[in-house]
Amino acid sequence: MALLEIKNLHAAVEGNQILEGVNLSINLGEVHAIMGPNGSGKSTLAQVIAGRDSYNVTEGQILYKGEDLLELDPEERAQKGVFLAFQYPVEIPGVSNMYFLRSALNAIRKSRSEEELDAMDFLKLVKEKAKFVEMDETLLNRPVNHGFSGGEKKRNEIFQMAVLEPTLAVLDETDSGLDIDALRTVANGINKLRDKNRAVIVVTHYQRLLNYIVPDFVHVLVDGQIVKSGGKELALELEEKGYDWIREKTAVSA
Amino acid sequence: MYLGKRMQEQKSNIYLSQFEQFEKSLNGDASSHVHAIRKAAIAKFAELDFPTTKNEEWKYTDVSRIAKTAFKPALSTQGAIVTEKDLAKFSFGHPEWIRVVCVNGHFSKELSRISDLPKGVKVGSLAEAMKSEPALIEQHLAKHAKYDENAFVALSTAFLQDGVFMHIPDRVVVEKPIHVMMISTGKGEEFVAHPRNLIIAGESSQVSFIETYGSLGNETYFTNTVTEVVLAKNAIVEHERLQMESDNAYHVATLHTYQERDSNFKSNAMTFGGKLVRNNITATLDGEGAEATLNGLYLGTGEQHIDNHTCIIHAKPHCPSHELYKGILAEKSKGVFNGKIFVLKDAQKTDAKQTNKNLILSDEASIDTKPQLEIFANDVKCTHGATIGQLDEEALFYLRSRGVSKNKARDLLIYAFASDVIERITVEPLREELHRILHKRLEAAHELEAE
Ligand SMILES: Nc1ncnc2c1ncn2[C@@H]1O[C@H](COP(=O)(O)OP(=O)(O)OP(=O)(O)O)[C@@H](O)[C@H]1O
Ligand SMILES: [Mg+2]
């Protein structure tokens, strides 16, 4: 059984149909890259997987570990191991990063009948993970993403992922706007998580990231549909030729 | 006392006849200085009567429910039994603090614990002080909270009997906070208490007091309290006020402060309880360099109505004032905020800043907020701003997408909203208590929302 099975997914936002029949199957241990032009629906797909309710699923299905994912609240999905690194992480003034993350981790642990971590154990864990994604420790005590630079926000997403250790991580353009050092750390963080009991979806515009995280599959999302899938060479081809050739090809074959 | 025919038709007439009974009960005391004030106040009350929503000051707060109910004045503690255990829930885990307890508006010697105070400091019953400190009483009592403009102050002054008196002599610093507990309890009978407080801080003195209003059950009653705080030159007074009365209580509270040169007054006013609540604060900065900070937090749940009216009078030059009021309105609650700033002709170089922010948690909750600036000087800095918003859906989703439950995520965002008021409170156990109260009161609201 696939870890994630997306079948004929249609989704709309504010009356505009964005996803027009997405099919995608992801197994444990795999890394899938999703590429595609601006506005093609990549973030919409990511947010629908995470459970954002402003996106309306109008048709189709998502099965996660064989269970209907769309029936679950966002927090239930997280508790079952789904994680979304946001393209635009939200700033939350007044809520400390540490307090938030501890609440999140303990909610997840509790849902699995694991013991909650006390402040001391949590601090130890957090310090270790912060080091691992080279995140400045002073950011931990600041309000969530508040006043963070673009790069700090992305690092914070990976840091949260490292702490929460999800089964399915969806990373929405976590590489965009990062300098090469930051990119390496972020990629490192992702690779560390990569094992046979997890799967990763990386949404990206840049082949560059895929030098560090070598994907098993590359998919091209255009106008709300996956129009082409292939191996890692597809990313190179896309970088070279852009998306128009795929558009033309699909138009012809349609 | 002569009551004209017109007056007898008023809603206030029940109070007028009650005043006659009250007067009789006073016996010998009826000729004192204080009693002359009472008589003047009841006459004013008869003239003013309860305000209606036609009165601009009461436009959004309809007090007809108070006017219609025949609340009986609590002329004593009414034999109420309050135990140490009852007080525990208002003690913030610090039963060892210096505390002054009033039950139904009357000082309780048994429950109060007043010791360890610096030499010369007087803390205790106002009724006592009327006898032992006639000079201070004559100088200050009812001199700052004017009873000729506001019917509730007039009524409270007419029935003025007891409450808390504090006098901090010049240059004395009281290090530990003084906890004033105003406890109400009654058996079925709808009563009104008029606790009256007078706090006098001498030159370069310093004191911090916490005033907690609470009920033992969910009884229906009316608290109509008046507090006057006088700060002499260079005095520092910090006032934390936590109102957590029964959800069936009516609560009208008036605070008047009078500040001399270089004094500093800070107030943190938190409102959680009460069915219908009106808080009036008037701060008068009457000396150069005096500074006032009025902060507040209000949480409305159920069908609560919470009205905060503040007024800062800048009478002299070079006075800063800061004001931050934040409101959270859930379910069908209603909030009102009115912030007046008067800058009088002489008050050049005034620096006044007022902010009111509101978080509306349901479609049926609402807030009416209005700043009111009247400036008669020409070299001043006055800023004001009011906002009304809802929980940030994106932030909520972000938190939930990490595994935090919807209710917990809402709580986190609500605490975050309230935090800049709460974080400014220096008494730590009080900050913790505020988080607990927020959590507890919102829990019920969340559950209803979920349905
Ligand atoms: N909340 C919204 N309201 C209205 N339209 C939206 C909303 N969110 C997305 N859209 C529209 O949906 C379409 C797809 O957006 P989406 O963010 O999924 O694209 P994307 O592939 O992630 O693009 P990018 O590469 O620029 O991040 C776009 O046309 C966008 O304008
Ligand atoms: Mg996107």
Side-chain angles (χ1 to χ4, degrees):
Chain A
M1 182 181 61
L3 173 67
L4 187 75
E5 191 85 54
I6 302 175
K7 292 181 190 164
N8 191 30
L9 186 71
H10 288 68
V13 56
E14 286 169 10
N16 301 323
Q17 199 68 38
I18 312 291
L19 299 182
E20 314 236 23
V22 172
N23 293 291
L24 188 64
S25 180
I26 293 175
N27 294 306
L28 282 171
E30 294 174 350
V31 172
H32 291 240
I34 296 180
M35 303 182 81
N38 292 121
S40 60
K42 303 181 298 295
S43 294
T44 303
L45 177 62
Q47 300 257 336
V48 168
I49 293 172
R52 181 86 193 251
D53 62 5
S54 48
Y55 294 89
N56 273 324
V57 173
T58 50
E59 214 185 313
Q61 206 180 18
I62 305 182
L63 297 178
Y64 173 75
K65 298 181 180 168
E67 188 180 6
D68 184 354
L69 190 68
L70 299 175
E71 279 297 302
L72 304 176
D73 286 334
E75 57 268 36
E76 292 172 316
R77 300 181 196 198
Q79 289 158 10
K80 289 176 189 283
V82 176
F83 179 90
L84 169 65
F86 285 57
Q87 182 175 1
Y88 304 111
V90 186
E91 296 199 15
I92 314 181
V95 176
S96 107
N97 232 344
M98 285 281 269
Y99 186 77
F100 154 54
L101 198 52
R102 188 169 151 218
S103 307
L105 181 64
N106 279 337
I108 291 173
R109 293 179 69 99
K110 208 170 151 193
S111 77
R112 296 175 186 163
S113 311
E114 291 165 11
E115 215 175 305
E116 296 184 29
L117 288 190
D118 64 22
M120 289 297 283
D121 290 341
F122 180 71
L123 191 68
K124 225 177 96 195
L125 174 76
V126 150
K127 288 203 162 182
E128 178 191 315
K129 301 286 183 181
K131 195 177 285 164
F132 158 69
V133 298
E134 292 169 36
M135 192 160 103
D136 183 353
E137 273 187 36
T138 59
L139 294 179
L140 298 176
N141 293 312
R142 296 241 307 262
V144 180
N145 296 322
H146 188 57
F148 286 24
S149 70
E152 286 169 341
K153 283 181 185 165
K154 302 275 167 137
R155 239 181 245 257
N156 195 22
E157 296 292 284
I158 296 303
F159 165 67
Q160 291 177 29
M161 181 184 79
V163 172
L164 301 178
E165 301 184 317
T167 307
L168 173 69
V170 182
L171 310 172
D172 192 358
E173 296 202 26
T174 306
D175 58 323
S176 295
L178 294 187
D179 64 40
I180 196 71
D181 287 340
L183 183 78
R184 273 197 207 107
T185 350
V186 163
N188 231 343
I190 297 166
N191 283 331
K192 283 253 170 100
L193 203 75
R194 197 170 176 173
D195 68 31
K196 63 180 194 314
N197 295 317
R198 299 176 210 285
V200 182
I201 300 175
V202 285
V203 172
T204 182
H205 283 289
Y206 308 104
Q207 195 277 331
R208 187 181 69 151
L209 175 71
L210 306 179
N211 289 335
Y212 298 95
I213 306 166
V214 182
D216 300 298
F217 300 95
V218 175
H219 308 278
V220 186
L221 187 71
V222 177
D223 296 339
Q225 285 183 325
I226 291 183
V227 295
K228 195 170 172 64
S229 299
K232 61 178 195 285
E233 5 23 270
L234 180 56
L236 286 164
E237 202 173 351
L238 289 168
E239 184 141 274
E240 207 174 300
K241 302 199 216 162
Y243 294 103
D244 288 347
W245 65 281
I246 296 184
R247 276 208 178 101
E248 281 153 25
K249 247 176 81 182
T250 46
V252 171
S253 62
Chain B
M1 186 173 181
Y2 170 74
L3 304 176
K5 193 167 183 332
R6 190 185 66 83
M7 286 177 197
Q8 288 189 19
E9 287 158 9
Q10 292 179 322
K11 292 173 191 132
S12 53
N13 63 8
I14 170 107
Y15 289 99
L16 304 186
S17 60
Q18 282 172 353
F19 184 77
E20 288 180 51
Q21 285 172 25
F22 168 50
E23 227 176 358
K24 278 183 204 134
S25 77
L26 289 170
N27 294 324
D29 182 45
S31 60
S32 67
H33 162 76
V34 172
H35 198 63
I37 296 174
R38 289 188 193 119
K39 284 208 286 208
I42 195 73
K44 259 298 166 206
F45 175 69
E47 201 182 305
L48 292 165
D49 201 359
F50 285 108
T52 67
T53 51
K54 289 196 196 89
N55 180 332
E56 191 58 33
E57 279 292 285
W58 297 85
K59 193 170 163 190
Y60 299 108
T61 297
D62 180 359
V63 297
S64 58
R65 279 184 295 182
I66 296 178
K68 272 188 278 195
T69 311
F71 292 106
K72 211 166 156 276
L75 299 181
S76 67
T77 60
Q78 319 208 78
I81 297 164
V82 178
T83 64
E84 191 70 29
K85 210 170 132 225
D86 294 326
L87 295 184
K89 76 172 190 185
F90 307 108
S91 298
F92 319 123
H94 286 268
E96 79 285 2
W97 283 357
I98 297 170
R99 70 176 185 218
V100 194
V101 183
C102 290
V103 175
N104 296 342
H106 295 267
F107 176 75
S108 162
K109 200 177 162 114
E110 303 75 58
L111 296 171
S112 299
R113 195 171 320 109
I114 303 161
S115 58
D116 252 356
L117 284 166
K119 207 163 159 256
V121 173
K122 300 239 160 56
V123 172
S125 145
L126 181 73
E128 282 288 315
M130 287 185 211
K131 293 181 204 129
S132 60
E133 304 285 344
L136 285 172
I137 295 291
E138 203 159 318
Q139 194 185 345
H140 294 293
L141 188 67
K143 291 291 190 300
H144 309 288
K146 303 252 165 37
Y147 53 79
D148 53 358
E149 292 157 10
N150 180 317
F152 288 97
V153 176
L155 186 63
S156 181
T157 306
F159 287 90
L160 187 164
Q161 262 186 296
D162 204 355
V164 174
F165 174 82
M166 289 184 208
H167 177 228
I168 321 299
D170 293 351
R171 290 172 297 280
V172 172
V173 173
V174 184
E175 307 257 3
K176 290 185 204 156
I178 296 170
H179 195 182
V180 173
M181 292 186 186
M182 295 290 184
I183 308 297
S184 288
T185 176
K187 306 178 205 81
E189 199 173 39
E190 296 182 335
F191 63 94
V192 50
H194 302 282
R196 179 75 176 217
N197 307 318
L198 177 62
I199 286 85
I200 303 165
E203 190 179 322
S204 298
S205 69
Q206 184 175 334
V207 67
S208 139
F209 69 105
I210 303 161
E211 202 185 359
T212 302
Y213 284 80
S215 331
L216 295 192
N218 50 9
E219 44 270 79
T220 302
Y221 61 93
F222 173 28
T223 298
N224 181 28
T225 176
V226 176
T227 300
E228 292 168 288
V229 181
V230 187
L231 292 88
K233 273 186 232 163
N234 209 34
I236 298 176
V237 175
E238 190 164 332
H239 178 211
E240 325 288 356
R241 188 176 198 280
L242 177 57
Q243 194 269 91
M244 45 201 284
E245 295 203 292
S246 131
D247 286 339
N248 294 315
Y250 296 86
H251 185 97
V252 177
T254 307
L255 169 69
H256 279 257
T257 66
Y258 179 81
Q259 292 184 243
E260 289 181 15
R261 192 182 179 107
D262 300 325
S263 62
N264 192 329
F265 176 74
K266 280 199 188 93
S267 141
N268 292 299
M270 274 76 60
T271 300
F272 298 104
K275 187 196 207 86
L276 177 66
V277 179
R278 166 70 171 242
N279 298 318
N280 294 302
I281 300 186
T282 305
T284 303
L285 295 162
D286 201 19
E288 287 192 28
E291 179 168 354
T293 306
L294 305 183
N295 292 340
L297 178 68
Y298 45 99
L299 167 65
T301 60
E303 296 187 12
Q304 282 183 291
H305 179 104
I306 300 171
D307 177 346
N308 281 290
H309 265 61
T310 66
C311 174
I312 300 180
I313 301 168
H314 283 265
K316 293 283 153 63
H318 294 287
C319 293
S321 69
H322 325 268
E323 192 171 4
L324 174 63
Y325 265 73
K326 288 199 148 186
I328 302 158
L329 298 151
E331 300 178 79
K332 294 180 179 169
S333 65
K334 274 178 79 74
V336 180
F337 177 81
N338 182 289
K340 282 196 200 65
I341 297 175
F342 285 105
V343 181
L344 305 188
K345 199 165 96 291
D346 288 342
Q348 300 296 5
K349 306 285 180 193
T350 286
D351 185 356
K353 183 167 197 260
Q354 179 191 92
T355 310
N356 172 232
K357 292 188 175 171
N358 297 282
L359 183 60
I360 308 284
L361 297 179
S362 98
D363 293 342
E364 289 171 289
S366 67
I367 173 81
D368 288 294
T369 173
K370 187 174 147 206
Q372 210 176 320
L373 269 48
E374 297 195 24
I375 300 171
F376 302 100
N378 52 30
D379 183 13
V380 303
K381 204 163 98 192
C382 286
T383 61
H384 65 85
T387 62
I388 302 171
Q390 284 154 2
L391 281 182
D392 178 353
E393 283 299 326
E394 264 192 69
L396 206 53
F397 176 61
Y398 187 78
L399 298 172
R400 294 177 71 190
S401 79
R402 299 295 182 252
V404 178
S405 75
K406 187 177 179 184
N407 285 350
K408 175 87 183 181
R410 286 172 62 111
D411 275 0
L412 280 177
L413 294 179
I414 293 166
Y415 295 164
F417 173 80
S419 68
D420 45 355
V421 173
I422 295 178
E423 296 317 315
R424 280 168 221 230
I425 295 171
T426 50
V427 187
E428 204 208 320
L430 188 53
R431 291 201 299 268
E432 284 166 16
E433 180 73 18
L434 291 173
H435 279 128
R436 269 196 296 276
I437 298 174
L438 274 175
H439 176 75
K440 206 165 145 220
R441 294 192 67 88
L442 285 166
E443 207 169 36
H446 289 333
E447 269 161 30
L448 286 170
E449 281 267 316
E451 275 155 24

